[in-house]
Amino acid sequence: MSINDIRFDKDGLITTVVQDFSTKEVLMVAYMSKESLKKTIATGQTWFFSRSRNELWHKGETSGNFQTVKEIRYDCDGDALLIEVDPSGPACHTGETSCFYRSIIESESTPVISEISRLFETVKQRKANPKEGSYTQYLFDKGIDKILKKVGEETSEVIIAAKNNSKEELIYETADLVYHMTVLLVNQGIEIQDITDELKKRVK
């Protein structure tokens, strides 16, 4: 990509869509100037231009929720950018993973990877910011042996549900297993990106 291929508007800005590299969830929409785009490329983290403050701003500078750039693309007209990132926390100032957390029309189903990504983020937040009365926090407090015991128990429950040929039971127990596996992975410092990267190797 060459910055010379980018068509900035009359104010010297370009609309920028930020997307999670792993889940493909749209996280936010902001504006970039030529200077903020150059800083984004140079630093490997997103920089934008605030129209209200009339200045550059580094995403995560105050919140700690930085966005590590994985790819930068531009559309066929060169007047919009798509940046895929590895976020270190929620994109929205409300604490939501994405700024687009409200719906006018909503599908009854949600992409699996998006839900798992939200689960990972929630569990990571519980580990980073303990919450009294949280079952997730209870597991972290008890440590690896307790977490492994629960993973083992839930694995057995999935096997029993399958042997019982009960679809409802299997769905319920699988959700339990996915949750406890997520707690285990977060406890061990493993990111969802690590899992998706490994899964890509399995698809032939």
Side-chain angles (χ1 to χ4, degrees):
M1 183 193 82
S2 169
I3 292 182
N4 294 328
D5 296 325
I6 302 303
R7 295 172 55 192
F8 295 92
D9 65 19
K10 60 182 178 61
D11 297 316
L13 304 176
I14 186 169
T15 302
T16 304
V17 178
V18 181
Q19 184 179 43
D20 189 301
F21 179 73
S22 300
T23 68
K24 305 307 178 186
E25 181 177 16
V26 174
L27 301 177
M28 58 184 286
V29 174
Y31 292 89
M32 281 190 170
S33 63
K34 182 175 286 189
E35 185 181 358
S36 68
L37 178 55
K38 286 181 177 179
K39 287 184 76 69
T40 295
I41 294 171
T43 65
Q45 293 185 335
T46 52
W47 285 75
F48 303 103
F49 185 85
S50 170
R51 295 178 299 170
S52 60
R53 300 193 304 271
N54 195 36
E55 64 181 12
L56 297 183
W57 60 284
H58 182 194
K59 176 63 179 173
E61 187 171 15
T62 56
S63 66
N65 299 327
F66 297 102
Q67 296 172 339
T68 301
V69 175
K70 305 293 283 188
E71 291 186 8
I72 301 179
R73 303 179 186 179
Y74 56 100
D75 73 346
C76 54
D77 294 321
D79 60 2
L81 294 176
L82 173 64
I83 300 185
E84 295 194 352
V85 303
D86 180 14
S88 61
C92 187
H93 72 281
T94 63
E96 294 287 340
T97 300
S98 166
C99 292
F100 297 93
Y101 61 90
R102 295 173 292 186
S103 303
I104 295 175
I105 297 176
E106 186 172 1
S107 171
E108 292 183 0
S109 60
T110 305
V112 173
I113 191 64
S114 179
E115 282 303 311
I116 291 177
S117 177
R118 289 194 184 97
L119 175 61
F120 256 81
E121 285 304 318
T122 300
V123 173
K124 284 169 64 177
Q125 287 299 314
R126 287 290 180 270
K127 193 173 193 302
N129 304 294
K131 182 178 180 182
E132 187 176 353
S134 165
Y135 175 66
T136 305
Q137 188 57 50
Y138 162 79
L139 290 174
F140 285 133
D141 289 342
K142 288 295 183 180
I144 185 65
D145 288 343
K146 179 65 174 180
I147 296 171
L148 290 175
K149 180 181 179 183
K150 291 301 297 182
V151 169
E153 290 174 356
E154 298 305 335
T155 301
S156 298
E157 293 294 336
V158 167
I159 294 171
I160 293 170
K163 289 291 287 183
N164 289 340
N165 200 27
S166 170
K167 181 178 179 180
E168 292 76 14
E169 185 182 353
L170 182 57
I171 291 171
Y172 182 87
E173 298 300 346
T174 299
D176 268 352
L177 177 58
V178 170
Y179 163 75
H180 285 93
M181 278 298 304
T182 300
V183 174
L184 173 61
L185 294 173
V186 170
N187 189 74
Q188 302 303 106
I190 297 174
E191 296 285 345
I192 190 172
Q193 181 67 50
D194 300 324
I195 305 302
T196 56
D197 285 347
E198 183 62 30
L199 286 172
K200 288 175 185 176
K201 300 176 185 177
R202 311 291 179 91
V203 180
K204 302 291 187 180

